[in-house]
């Protein structure tokens, strides 16, 4: 479906990700509309040519004409929107999302959704330390990963459309995982890393440290500038997985601490060699 540029795309939630999707997809010739809370976001997107039309209202014509609807909302808002407003979607519409957790919402939405509308979940592993449509850019997709998380309720056509969407957006790597596999991966690769960054920034409040820091601390804490509302919700909705990942981290940190206490130099060096070898796998090619 996505290759047909006559199809209309609606983005619900015109922030950083929603705006970035709009910028890229509009270049392909798709008709892009948006529904979002702030009129200033609509005004900016129209002025900059990011969208063709937009509204802060539940406009039945705009929503009802969309063939593909991309939800860029917080998880609980996404669920509430579907519960309250799915009657506005056209029959045959395909919807997808950008939500950072899956198991807690995917099945809930698919169970409540009308049978003539399909939800194929996805997660763009991309972001910046700023927010808002004014900071949107498709460039952040170029070296990022895009994960499609289908269930048994999804059709092959919807899965392929979502995969193709990721490719059109320019993601470096497009893969598929189950919602459960996704949440386990994301608990380690994203949520745990944010927990570590938060902890580093709050465990020592000595004044003027910013005047003496080096790049290693800046690199480790880049993601500590965090949207507390969104990330606290993501942590809670993936609570059990994240707690398990935190335990794994604490176990390894304790091993390193014990090696230091006992001056086990060879043990530390072996751990460092393992770390170096593992890190090389993550280098962007």
């Amino acid at each position: 479906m996505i290759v047909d540029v006559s199809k209309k795309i609606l983005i619900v939630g015109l922030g950083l990700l929603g705006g970035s999707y709009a910028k890229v997809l509009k270049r392909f010739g798709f008709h892009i509309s948006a529904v979002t809370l702030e009129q200033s976001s609509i005004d900016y997107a129209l002025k900059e040519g990011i969208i063709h039309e937009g509204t802060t209202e539940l406009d039945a014509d705009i929503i009802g004409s969309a063939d593909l609807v991309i939800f860029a909302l917080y998880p609980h808002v996404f669920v509430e929107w579907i519960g309250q407003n799915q009657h506005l979607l056209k029959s045959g519409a395909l919807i997808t999302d950008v939500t950072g957790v899956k198991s807690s919402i995917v099945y809930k939405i698919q169970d409540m959704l009308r049978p003539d509308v399909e939800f194929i979940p996805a997660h763009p592993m991309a972001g910046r330390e700023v927010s808002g449509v004014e900071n949107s850019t498709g460039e952040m997709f170029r070296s990022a990963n895009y994960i499609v998380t289908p269930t048994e309720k999804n059709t092959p056509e919807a899965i392929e459309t979502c995969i193709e969407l990721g490719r059109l957006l320019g993601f470096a790597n497009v893969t598929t995982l189950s919602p459960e596999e996704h949440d386990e991966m994301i608990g380690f690769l994203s949520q745990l890393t944010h927990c570590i960054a938060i902890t580093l920034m709050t465990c020592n409040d000595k004044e003027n440290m910013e005047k003496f820091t080096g790049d290693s601390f800046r690199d480790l804490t880049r993601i500590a500038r965090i949207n507390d509302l969104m990330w606290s919700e993501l942590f809670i909705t993936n609570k059990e997985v994240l707690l398990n990942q935190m335990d794994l981290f604490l176990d390894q940190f304790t091993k390193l601490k014990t090696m230091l206490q006992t001056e086990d130099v060879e043990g530390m060096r072996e751990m460092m060699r393992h770390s170096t070898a593992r890190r090389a796998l993550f280098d962007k090619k």
Side-chain angles (χ1 to χ4, degrees):
M1 181 181 76
I2 193 67
V3 293
D4 185 353
V5 295
S6 69
K7 300 295 184 180
K8 293 186 175 182
I9 297 177
L10 169 65
I11 295 172
V12 182
L14 194 65
L16 176 66
L17 275 174
S20 299
Y21 270 50
K23 278 186 174 180
V24 176
L25 295 173
K26 190 168 182 287
R27 294 191 201 118
F28 283 98
F30 293 102
H31 182 277
I32 307 295
S33 57
V35 175
T36 201
L37 285 176
E38 300 295 332
Q39 184 61 45
S40 59
S41 297
I42 296 295
D43 294 341
Y44 177 86
L46 288 170
K47 178 184 176 183
E48 297 297 319
I50 299 172
I51 60 174
H52 291 95
E53 59 182 341
T55 179
T56 60
E57 307 294 329
L58 289 172
D59 188 304
D61 290 334
I62 289 179
I63 297 173
S65 65
D67 301 290
L68 175 67
V69 186
I70 300 166
F71 284 89
L73 303 172
Y74 289 2
H76 78 279
V77 179
F78 181 22
V79 174
E80 290 172 2
W81 199 101
I82 294 298
Q84 297 169 7
N85 305 309
Q86 63 169 298
H87 64 280
L88 298 172
L89 299 168
K90 71 185 293 186
S91 180
L94 180 66
I95 67 176
T96 189
D97 68 330
V98 304
T99 313
V101 290
K102 294 305 178 193
S103 298
S104 61
I105 67 164
V106 168
Y107 302 108
K108 188 180 299 183
I109 289 175
Q110 288 185 335
D111 286 344
M112 73 167 70
L113 201 59
R114 289 162 30 200
D116 61 333
V117 177
E118 185 172 353
F119 169 43
I120 173 67
H123 182 193
M125 292 286 290
R128 304 177 67 192
E129 290 73 59
V130 290
S131 61
V133 64
E134 64 274 12
N135 292 304
S136 59
T137 172
E139 296 302 311
M140 66 180 177
F141 300 149
R142 294 188 181 277
S143 59
N145 297 316
Y146 180 87
I147 307 172
V148 182
T149 60
T151 75
E152 61 182 12
K153 290 192 174 184
N154 288 121
T155 61
E157 293 77 17
I159 297 170
E160 185 54 40
T161 294
C162 199
I163 290 173
E164 190 173 351
L165 175 62
R167 292 173 179 156
L168 278 180
L169 288 166
F171 282 90
N173 190 40
V174 179
T175 56
T176 61
L177 291 173
S178 70
E180 292 78 14
E181 290 171 327
H182 166 275
D183 288 352
E184 182 179 5
M185 290 291 184
I186 226 67
F188 176 69
L189 294 171
S190 178
Q191 294 177 344
L192 177 63
T193 55
H194 281 78
C195 289
I196 293 169
I198 293 165
T199 305
L200 274 173
M201 286 305 312
T202 57
C203 70
N204 189 333
D205 287 335
K206 187 174 182 178
E207 294 183 359
N208 299 316
M209 293 184 71
E210 67 278 4
K211 297 179 181 178
F212 312 109
T213 188
D215 287 342
S216 59
F217 187 81
R218 292 191 190 95
D219 290 345
L220 278 170
T221 59
R222 176 183 61 82
I223 55 176
R225 294 179 59 183
I226 195 166
N227 181 330
D228 57 287
L229 182 62
M230 179 181 74
W231 280 95
S232 59
E233 179 176 350
L234 293 175
F235 288 175
I236 292 295
T237 50
N238 202 29
K239 176 183 173 181
E240 295 306 318
V241 170
L242 181 54
L243 286 172
N244 288 336
Q245 298 299 333
M246 292 173 85
D247 285 339
L248 290 174
F249 177 81
L250 288 170
D251 287 345
Q252 284 299 105
F253 196 84
T254 300
K255 286 180 182 178
L256 182 58
K257 180 181 178 182
T258 300
M259 291 174 192
L260 179 60
Q261 287 173 330
T262 60
E263 299 187 10
D264 181 2
V265 176
E266 184 50 43
M268 286 191 290
R269 291 187 62 190
E270 175 57 32
M271 191 172 182
M272 291 172 186
R273 288 192 292 267
H274 183 59
S275 169
T276 299
R278 286 285 296 161
R279 182 60 181 82
L281 300 175
F282 289 78
D283 289 337
K284 294 177 179 178
K285 306 300 182 184

